Amino acid sequence: MKVILIYFIVIYLINFSFSLKLNQQQQQQQQQQQLHHFNIIENNNNNNNNEKVIIAHPKIPPYWLIEDEISNPNDLISFKILLKQNNLNKLNYLFEEISDPKSKIYGEFLSINEINQLIKSSENDFNKVLEYLKSFNIGNIENGNENEIKLFSDYILVETTIEKVSSMFNSKFSNYKNKNNGNTRNRLNGPAYLPKQLLNSIDFVTGLSEFFENNFKIENYLNNNNNNNNNNNNNNNNNNNNNNNNNNKNKNNNNGGSDSSNSNSYNGGLDDILITPKVLKSYYNVPNELVGKFENNSIGVIAFNDYFSMGALELFDEKFNITSTRDNLKIIGNDCLGKGCDQYESDLDIQYIRSMGENISTDFISFNDAQWILDYLHSVLVMEKPPLVQSISYGWAELLQCDVSNGCSTFGYDSKQYVDRTNSEFQKLALLGISVLVSSGDDGAPSLGGSSGNCPIDSTVYCPTGGCNHTKTMCPEFTIYNLNGGGGSSSSSSSSSSSSSSSSSSSSSSSSDSYCFFPMGIASSGCTNILGDPSVLDSGMKIFSEKNKQCNLAIEYDRTNLPHVYSECECKDLVNVTFRNYHFTQYQFNENNGALFVAEYPSSSPFVTSVGATQFLSRDEKITTEVGCTILQGAKITTGGGFSSFQAQPKYQQYAISQFFNNSFNSLPPSFSYCSTNRGVPDISMVGHNYKIYSSDGNNKDFNKCPCKSLPVDGTSCSSPTLAGLIGLINDQLLLNGKSQLGFLNPLLYQMAIDEPRIFNDITGDSSNRCSRSYCCLYGWSTSSNTWDPVTGLGSIDFNLFLSYILKLKGI
């Protein structure tokens, strides 16, 4: 999603020391002792009206270290108390009616005041919470503290001192420092409590325990690890990894061509056409003369810990003759370039949303590294004039939204609650008439960031992106099992071995944090915990390799620095090894050890438009066909798609998905791996491979100025802003003719597919999303002719036909 890849993976922790791991264990033990102490207090007061319950408890990422055990009591901290919302059934009813092109009130959008009045929390709930705050001298008007709180329709924003917050939540706060970028933050060190009687008034509290940054972005794997490949094949090492040492996140950067030793051979010798605004407009039938003219029309890019270069944007506009002016570009948020954040994602987003939605006023809205989707929605909903079309190129596994926050986990609120509350906010945007488009993800159906890795690798497709020393392996993966049942290491350094036939590789009853399915699960919580001890893949792997020297067992690295397992023996013939408390053994698939497929959020929300990626196959600079984007065709990503784990299938999608299953029953993955009655993604696709962008190289210490370089990038984060710009052009035509903008797109898209299927370019061919960006699973989804499918959705669009349908629908 960034391939730019933005996409979103836990930072791989192999560079963290064993001593850090021990310190974390000690911290966890202290927290457990503290938690046990408070539970005793609570149990002794079960009949007391002041009984308190845990509402938050931090899960500290290993790269955050305690700088100060006790936070400065005078430091300020901001948090939100999310109150119970009312009339959610009415909210959903209005959402469905106003978004349905067959409804009598289609397009009759509400004002923000009308929406707020509809879902406003009860006065009783407000009063209960405000009284409790007042009891700690927070927001007390009599004492001049009224500026500490701000009331919204369904939540309370509080900013006050650590001293008051510690007292209010009966908790301890520490000051943490990010080992990677030096940022500091005051967060909980142990649980936080609220009176049980308040729980009927609030959904949850945010801002106390979250550590958001980088979890929803996928870092390139270990930038310096290609030297682990054999020295006799140095020419295979990736020469493209370090073109931008400043976080080459989910953007997969082609950096021009690569030599034959680094490129895969799965695309049949087809060449790559470089994607530019001219190519996009030509293929998708967009009139060159169509530019924005309506003054109050607007489009927007949403960024998280990311920023764009103004100099690169101006050079892009100059190179491609894009009509633009700084006057219609509004920037909201702080410039973080040169301070550790990425620019490629935002360069891509802003350059292509503005080149497709040419001359339309554009907002670039940037959020800092402590904010996520709910924060974005709260901010946009209080804007006086939010952009009518918004593109988001970020996401994370929907079941692990609490891993993004590292705070909700098992206490206070869970991932489903976070998603449900966030979905209500997306519905509000829809009722305002705002279209939200989200990249579907860059790691196919299996996913990478946050996935379990429990998807068996296809051993016939080894190191598909190139860069490894070999092209085939007899055993592509193994399992590392933590005998202690979680992260951490023992002090023992002994090792032992046994034949694989005498030891099972996994147990369905164990915690997911106990297993690392290597390398498919490299971004799973299990691998993150286990590989947080660098000795596991250093000393442990050396012992494992030595015991299997007859197999030449080794780890090799591809051109994106992701690891691959090379073996001249079949997995069943590997000899098991125990190193410290880690057991190295063969991988054996067990459906209970983690989901095969993982959907990304917010792309999986039924209240956004999920945008997948295609790629153009071409010969002699002429496009021959459009297929689903995949590493098997030479792309740097595989388009994300599949089904939500728990979000229900919306009405607008039911017919299309039923048609897919009616036509595809012979090519489906195992039935246990998905729920066919849940939300399916993506909804639609656009080309997402080989986009030409410009970025500043920062040589003059000002990233907003050139010199700039051009480079090609891949990702569903190419597709989303491209389509968003085109939707902005359609809105422009509607607004110029006195009609309302499109608003939430999906019911319209699926009705279009029924009424005028030729509007969509049907993506077929041999397109599958069974691969991630570096590994190919045995299972995945395939495209299906003339129906929606979980690879490319409804397909890409013919813009002129798309526009004509809408103008006719709106009576123009």
Side-chain angles (χ1 to χ4, degrees):
M1 284 180 94
K2 252 186 150 189
V3 150
I4 244 185
L5 274 170
I6 237 181
Y7 188 108
F8 317 162
I9 181 179
V10 177
I11 292 180
Y12 185 54
L13 304 175
I14 200 166
N15 62 320
F16 293 101
S17 66
F18 176 46
S19 60
L20 168 59
K21 202 72 174 179
L22 290 177
N23 288 338
Q24 289 178 315
Q25 286 184 316
Q26 292 168 358
Q27 291 177 22
Q28 291 171 356
Q29 290 171 357
Q30 291 172 357
Q31 291 174 0
Q32 289 171 355
Q33 291 170 357
Q34 182 180 7
L35 175 60
H36 178 64
H37 170 69
F38 278 112
N39 281 339
I40 291 174
I41 294 175
E42 291 165 12
N43 290 335
N44 288 336
N45 291 278
N46 281 337
N47 297 321
N48 193 317
N49 289 332
N50 293 323
E51 178 187 354
K52 293 187 176 183
V53 294
I54 296 173
I55 56 90
H57 196 292
K59 178 182 176 183
I60 311 301
Y63 48 92
W64 280 93
L65 308 179
I66 291 180
E67 183 80 354
D68 299 304
E69 185 70 25
I70 304 296
S71 296
N72 185 329
N74 296 318
D75 283 354
L76 296 178
I77 188 170
S78 177
F79 62 93
K80 294 174 183 174
I81 302 174
L82 306 184
L83 302 175
K84 297 289 185 183
Q85 296 172 315
N86 286 311
N87 299 315
L88 292 179
N89 288 338
K90 290 183 180 179
L91 180 76
N92 188 65
Y93 170 79
L94 288 172
F95 161 81
E96 290 183 349
E97 289 296 308
I98 290 174
S99 303
D100 184 354
K102 296 185 295 183
S103 168
K104 293 181 179 180
I105 58 172
Y106 174 59
E108 295 182 11
F109 304 117
L110 304 183
S111 69
I112 189 61
N113 288 334
E114 290 172 322
I115 296 170
N116 287 340
Q117 286 300 315
L118 177 67
I119 54 85
K120 185 177 181 180
S121 302
S122 71
E123 184 176 351
N124 182 56
D125 288 343
F126 269 106
N127 289 338
K128 280 184 181 180
V129 176
L130 290 173
E131 283 299 315
Y132 189 70
L133 288 168
K134 186 177 178 180
S135 69
F136 294 94
N137 200 26
I138 299 174
N140 194 333
I141 297 177
E142 289 83 358
N143 295 332
N145 297 323
E146 64 272 16
N147 292 331
E148 291 180 319
I149 62 173
K150 188 172 183 180
L151 305 184
F152 294 86
S153 62
D154 50 6
Y155 68 95
I156 300 172
L157 175 63
V158 181
E159 185 177 35
T160 189
T161 65
I162 292 288
E163 181 179 22
K164 290 183 180 181
V165 177
S166 296
S167 179
M168 172 182 170
F169 291 103
N170 196 17
S171 58
K172 172 184 174 182
F173 283 81
S174 295
N175 185 255
Y176 298 86
K177 185 174 183 178
N178 188 311
K179 181 180 177 180
N180 297 328
N181 57 28
N183 291 343
T184 60
R185 185 165 309 147
N186 289 310
R187 285 294 183 263
L188 282 170
N189 186 349
Y193 300 84
L194 279 178
K196 187 174 182 180
Q197 61 186 1
L198 287 182
L199 296 190
N200 290 329
S201 298
I202 66 173
D203 276 343
F204 48 86
V205 179
T206 65
L208 302 176
S209 55
E210 292 84 354
F211 294 85
F212 282 108
E213 65 271 49
N214 294 319
N215 282 11
F216 45 85
K217 301 180 180 182
I218 295 185
E219 301 287 345
N220 277 349
Y221 179 90
L222 295 180
N223 283 341
N224 298 314
N225 264 347
N226 263 338
N227 57 12
N228 288 326
N229 287 343
N230 294 335
N231 292 332
N232 64 348
N233 253 322
N234 285 338
N235 62 314
N236 283 345
N237 286 348
N238 176 20
N239 296 319
N240 299 327
N241 295 327
N242 297 315
N243 290 296
N244 177 30
N245 291 327
N246 179 25
N247 292 339
N248 215 1
K249 302 190 170 79
N250 281 351
K251 161 188 348 213
N252 268 321
N253 167 3
N254 299 330
N255 282 318
S258 38
D259 62 39
S260 59
S261 65
N262 273 346
S263 61
N264 68 55
S265 59
Y266 297 101
N267 64 352
L270 294 171
D271 54 39
D272 268 347
I273 187 169
L274 195 62
I275 303 302
T276 64
K278 181 179 179 180
V279 171
L280 290 168
K281 288 184 177 182
S282 173
Y283 186 84
Y284 290 120
N285 203 13
V286 182
N288 286 322
E289 68 278 6
L290 191 62
V291 298
K293 297 179 181 179
F294 192 78
E295 183 178 0
N296 290 324
N297 190 17
S298 57
I299 51 182
V301 166
I302 310 302
F304 294 91
N305 195 30
D306 210 285
Y307 210 79
F308 75 96
S309 166
M310 183 64 76
L313 175 61
E314 291 174 343
L315 180 59
F316 178 90
D317 290 343
E318 177 186 337
K319 293 290 186 180
F320 297 116
N321 299 314
I322 305 300
T323 302
S324 66
T325 171
R326 286 195 182 197
D327 293 340
N328 70 356
L329 174 58
K330 182 167 65 174
I331 299 173
I332 302 170
N334 296 322
D335 184 346
C336 58
L337 291 180
K339 301 176 183 178
C341 73
D342 187 22
Q343 67 163 310
Y344 289 161
E345 179 57 61
S346 294
D347 283 338
L348 165 65
D349 290 353
I350 201 70
Q351 288 168 21
Y352 277 89
I353 196 173
R354 281 173 65 82
S355 61
M356 292 298 98
E358 194 169 349
N359 204 42
I360 298 176
S361 295
T362 308
D363 288 359
F364 177 82
I365 308 174
S366 176
F367 293 89
N368 65 39
D369 60 6
Q371 297 174 299
W372 186 221
I373 293 296
L374 195 54
D375 302 288
Y376 140 68
L377 289 163
H378 284 159
S379 297
V380 170
L381 283 164
V382 297
M383 290 177 63
E384 184 178 353
K385 292 183 178 180
L388 298 182
V389 184
Q390 301 175 19
S391 177
I392 302 173
S393 294
Y394 303 75
W396 188 248
E398 65 178 4
L399 284 175
L400 297 178
Q401 290 301 296
C402 287
D403 276 7
V404 173
S405 72
N406 287 291
C408 43
S409 61
T410 57
F411 300 104
Y413 63 103
D414 59 23
S415 291
K416 184 178 184 301
Q417 286 174 289
Y418 185 92
V419 167
D420 288 345
R421 180 72 185 224
T422 305
N423 279 344
S424 294
E425 308 306 306
F426 276 125
Q427 285 185 298
K428 293 179 188 179
L429 285 187
L431 289 177
L432 286 173
I434 293 172
S435 307
V436 180
L437 288 73
V438 183
S439 303
S440 70
D442 294 341
D443 287 291
S447 192
L448 188 61
S451 69
S452 69
N454 188 36
C455 197
I457 293 177
D458 182 352
S459 61
T460 66
V461 185
Y462 179 67
C463 197
T465 62
C468 297
N469 293 340
H470 299 86
T471 57
K472 296 180 180 179
T473 184
M474 296 290 288
C475 179
E477 56 195 323
F478 57 81
T479 298
I480 308 174
Y481 172 50
N482 187 343
L483 298 173
N484 287 345
S489 304
S490 69
S491 59
S492 171
S493 60
S494 63
S495 64
S496 63
S497 62
S498 62
S499 68
S500 59
S501 61
S502 63
S503 173
S504 64
S505 67
S506 54
S507 168
S508 61
S509 63
S510 62
S511 165
S512 61
D513 285 354
S514 302
Y515 289 102
C516 173
F517 303 123
F518 188 88
M520 192 72 175
I522 196 67
S524 67
S525 59
C527 286
T528 298
N529 287 333
I530 291 172
L531 301 180
D533 178 357
S535 69
V536 175
L537 279 191
D538 184 6
S539 301
M541 186 60 200
K542 286 180 181 178
I543 296 172
F544 193 32
S545 297
E546 179 63 25
K547 291 294 182 181
N548 291 279
K549 59 184 177 181
Q550 78 281 3
C551 304
N552 285 324
L553 182 66
I555 295 177
E556 300 181 343
Y557 294 87
D558 64 23
R559 62 181 177 183
T560 63
N561 276 322
L562 281 162
H564 297 262
V565 177
Y566 173 73
S567 173
E568 295 174 8
C569 300
E570 294 183 8
C571 295
K572 65 182 178 63
D573 296 324
L574 292 180
V575 177
N576 298 338
V577 164
T578 298
F579 168 74
R580 293 184 175 149
N581 55 293
Y582 300 110
H583 190 58
F584 290 70
T585 184
Q586 62 172 287
Y587 169 79
Q588 293 178 348
F589 175 70
N590 183 325
E591 66 182 80
N592 296 314
N593 277 344
L596 276 179
F597 308 137
V598 178
E600 301 260 330
Y601 188 83
S603 178
S604 64
S605 169
F607 311 112
V608 306
T609 299
S610 175
V611 186
T614 63
Q615 67 185 100
F616 295 149
L617 303 185
S618 59
R619 292 187 186 276
D620 302 323
E621 293 297 310
K622 294 182 180 179
I623 299 170
T624 59
T625 188
E626 186 177 16
V627 299
C629 195
T630 172
I631 60 174
L632 294 180
Q633 292 284 5
K636 302 303 175 289
I637 63 116
T638 300
T639 184
F643 289 85
S644 168
S645 298
F646 59 83
Q647 297 179 86
Q649 192 173 111
K651 292 179 181 178
Y652 61 74
Q653 231 184 6
Q654 290 173 358
Y655 174 77
I657 290 181
S658 68
Q659 290 296 104
F660 167 73
F661 281 105
N662 288 339
N663 295 340
S664 307
F665 61 90
N666 286 326
S667 59
L668 298 176
S671 59
F672 64 78
S673 65
Y674 63 92
C675 179
S676 62
T677 58
N678 282 354
R679 158 74 160 141
V681 293
D683 298 299
I684 193 171
S685 290
M686 299 289 281
V687 67
H689 170 58
N690 219 29
Y691 274 56
K692 184 173 184 177
I693 69 166
Y694 286 88
S695 66
S696 169
D697 57 21
N699 284 342
N700 59 5
K701 297 183 179 180
D702 186 348
F703 283 89
N704 274 307
K705 296 180 180 179
C706 288
C708 297
K709 59 186 177 184
S710 69
L711 64 159
V713 297
D714 287 28
T716 52
S717 56
C718 301
S719 314
S720 181
T722 293
L723 181 58
L726 295 178
I727 298 301
L729 283 182
I730 294 175
N731 278 346
D732 206 76
Q733 293 297 300
L734 295 176
L735 295 169
L736 284 170
N737 285 279
K739 304 296 183 179
S740 63
Q741 68 272 20
L742 289 177
F744 180 57
L745 298 174
N746 292 7
L748 173 66
L749 297 178
Y750 286 89
Q751 189 61 46
M752 270 185 184
I754 295 172
D755 296 342
E756 293 286 348
R758 64 194 184 102
I759 291 174
F760 297 95
N761 300 312
D762 190 25
I763 312 300
T764 55
D766 186 20
S767 295
S768 167
N769 63 4
R770 67 186 180 96
C771 302
S772 65
R773 75 192 58 191
S774 288
Y775 314 108
C776 291
C777 181
L778 289 175
Y779 309 114
W781 299 99
S782 299
T783 52
S784 181
S785 180
N786 299 316
T787 68
W788 173 92
D789 59 64
V791 181
T792 60
L794 296 169
S796 61
I797 64 169
D798 180 307
F799 179 83
N800 246 343
L801 294 178
F802 193 98
L803 175 60
S804 296
Y805 177 95
I806 291 170
L807 294 180
K808 181 179 178 181
L809 176 70
K810 293 280 192 172
I812 299 174

